[in-house]
Amino acid sequence: MLQYFLAVAKEQNISVAAQSMHLTQPTLSRQLKELEEELGKQLMVRGSRKITLTEEGVLLRKRAQEILDLVGRTKNELTCSDEAVSGDIYIGTGETDGMRQIAAAAYKLQQSWPGIRFHIASGDAADVCERLDKGLLDFGVLLGDIDKTKYQYMELPMKDVWGVLMKSTSPLAEKKAVLAQDLWDKPLILSRQIDNKSALYRWLKKEPAELYTVATYNLIYNASLMVAEGMGYAFALDKLVNTTGSDLCFRPLEPRLELGMYLVWKKSQVFSREAKLFLECLQNNLAVWAK
């Protein structure tokens, strides 16, 4: 029944959704009515040409997709043969150059087991933790502080370095590093994914209300476009924007401000064979990398 609901939510039209599901329109309408009666909530507003989801319908659409994704994952894991190593590994992460080591381990694992597929979901720490808690991810890559009472974790040796992305013609571009007072009167572009904002504000020695914040961003590419257009100076992590041959440059903060990195998973997590192999492969790769 959830599949029927999602089809209608996607098409915004019962007739079109019925055709895509190979059902008659009366059958699909009846299924939707039974779902609303079972939940005791109106999920859709039926217009003359278009279906609109109610607030409850929007919530159900999100939860229904998560439920079906989890059911699909579980089915694939249960039906996989005992001999074959073939399946899916789901990893959630923010924007970080540390993903290079995750990608290197993934590539190495696939050389031995080409049937393993990786699915990377990008998001901030709240997004990653929510998907971990619901069982939709095997692993999460988190920056900064983590809840060590809630998750099993492996501290990664890589560190992300905070700095400022700016135009090459900026007076600050002449400096090797940027001081807090250099930015007190500058238009700032801040990441909405900063998990340790308090550390950043401590570095700046200013409260948020005292700063000239002109924009926030979720993806560094969009921030780089705002910087290129002269909107301001973007706080960003090193190595995420290739400034070679562009009119942008990156300058680290002084004193240096770093973020630690962790690979985390639920304490109650039951790993598939593929996930166990990936964890072992990553540990071996990092041991070699650290030498």
Side-chain angles (χ1 to χ4, degrees), residues 97-226:
D97 186 65
M99 271 299 295
R100 289 183 183 273
Q101 291 299 325
I102 305 295
Y107 175 71
K108 184 176 181 179
L109 189 62
Q110 284 184 330
Q111 300 311 294
S112 301
W113 308 105
I116 294 178
R117 296 172 298 275
F118 286 85
H119 307 274
I120 307 301
S122 299
D124 59 20
D127 294 331
V128 172
C129 290
E130 181 182 2
R131 294 177 69 82
L132 272 173
D133 295 343
K134 291 176 178 176
L136 299 173
L137 296 175
D138 296 301
F139 303 101
V141 178
L142 298 180
L143 306 178
D145 298 331
I146 64 170
D147 187 348
K148 296 180 179 179
T149 65
K150 187 176 182 181
Y151 299 110
Q152 297 277 19
Y153 65 93
M154 180 173 72
E155 186 170 1
L156 303 176
M158 301 83 75
K159 302 287 184 182
D160 272 333
V161 178
W162 280 109
V164 179
L165 189 67
M166 64 185 78
K167 297 195 73 169
S168 301
T169 54
S170 165
L172 293 184
E174 300 176 5
K175 305 184 66 170
K176 292 184 178 180
V178 177
L179 305 176
Q181 53 265 36
D182 293 332
L183 300 169
W184 286 348
D185 62 344
K186 299 294 189 296
L188 303 181
I189 302 170
L190 301 178
S191 170
R192 291 194 288 116
Q193 298 193 46
I194 294 177
D195 305 314
N196 292 334
K197 286 185 179 178
S198 58
L200 178 63
Y201 293 134
R202 284 197 302 271
W203 182 89
L204 283 164
K205 303 173 185 176
K206 291 286 185 181
E207 293 297 321
E210 299 177 289
L211 298 170
Y212 180 27
T213 302
V214 296
T216 64
Y217 69 90
N218 190 41
L219 297 174
I220 187 61
Y221 176 73
N222 293 331
S224 70
L225 295 180
M226 290 189 281

Side-chain angles (χ1 to χ4, degrees), residues 32-41 43-44 46:
L32 294 175
K33 183 178 180 181
E34 290 176 359
L35 179 60
E36 289 181 323
E37 290 175 351
E38 180 181 347
L39 297 175
K41 297 288 184 179
L43 302 173
M44 302 177 174
R46 295 157 175 80

